[in-house]
Every structure is written in structure tokens, then in C-alpha cells.
Amino acid sequence: MYSLCIQLYHACDQDVFSFCLMKYTVLQFCDFYTATMTFWVTILAMGGLPDQAKSLLHMVGAVGVALAIEYDRTGVFTFLVPAVIGIFVLLSSWVSS
């Protein structure tokens, strides 16, 4: 799904020949959202957390990332905050185990 979203987003982003299946903003949101979520999910998978904690963090992360990207798609903190929180959770789980 991630690669399809990127391909549609960049096909719509061309200057010479543009092909858009959806509104550009929807494709842009999908591109930024999936890129950030792949990082978030990978970091949590590496942590070795219990299933309930991992599930909770996945849901909180999905909603939080969606809100952050809708608020400011190209802002540094949109990508920095999930990265820092994810790395903190990862290192905490490694230290505590």
C-alpha cells in the first residue's frame, strides 16, 4: 500500500504530465503518514514489548501521527516527536529487560 500511495502521489506531482486519481492533499497526507508510521511500527517491533503495550502504542501512535501530519505536514516536529518517543520506548524496553 505504501508504494502505491507514493507512486500516485508522485504521478500527480509532475510538471509536464500529471495524472491524479485523488486530490493532491489526500495523496500527500497518505505519503507522509505511511512514511512516519513505518518508522513508528518498526521501532516498536524492535522493542520486544508485551503485546498489550505494543497494541496500545500502535493505536496512540496512529492517531497521534495522523493529527500531527494533518496539523503540519512538513514540520520538523511532526517527524521528530514520534522518532524521539519511539527511540525512548525502544531503549527503555531494552534496558528494563
Side-chain angles (χ1 to χ4, degrees), residues 66-89:
L67 287 172
I69 289 176
E70 185 61 32
Y71 182 73
D72 185 13
R73 288 194 182 133
T74 58
V76 173
F77 290 110
T78 302
F79 304 103
L80 189 62
V81 170
V84 169
I85 292 172
I87 290 171
F88 177 75
V89 168

Side-chain angles (χ1 to χ4, degrees), residues 3-58:
S3 63
L4 177 64
C5 184
I6 288 178
Q7 291 171 356
L8 291 174
Y9 171 61
H10 290 292
C12 190
D13 196 23
Q14 300 299 315
D15 290 332
V16 178
F17 178 73
S18 179
F19 177 73
C20 296
L21 288 177
M22 291 180 234
K23 289 168 50 172
Y24 181 77
T25 56
V26 172
L27 294 173
Q28 186 182 38
F29 174 83
C30 289
D31 182 38
F32 283 79
Y33 181 73
T34 54
T36 308
M37 283 303 294
T38 52
F39 183 78
W40 177 254
V41 170
T42 302
I43 290 291
L44 291 181
M46 292 170 50
L49 297 167
D51 287 338
Q52 287 182 331
K54 195 183 312 182
S55 177
L56 175 68
L57 287 171
H58 280 304

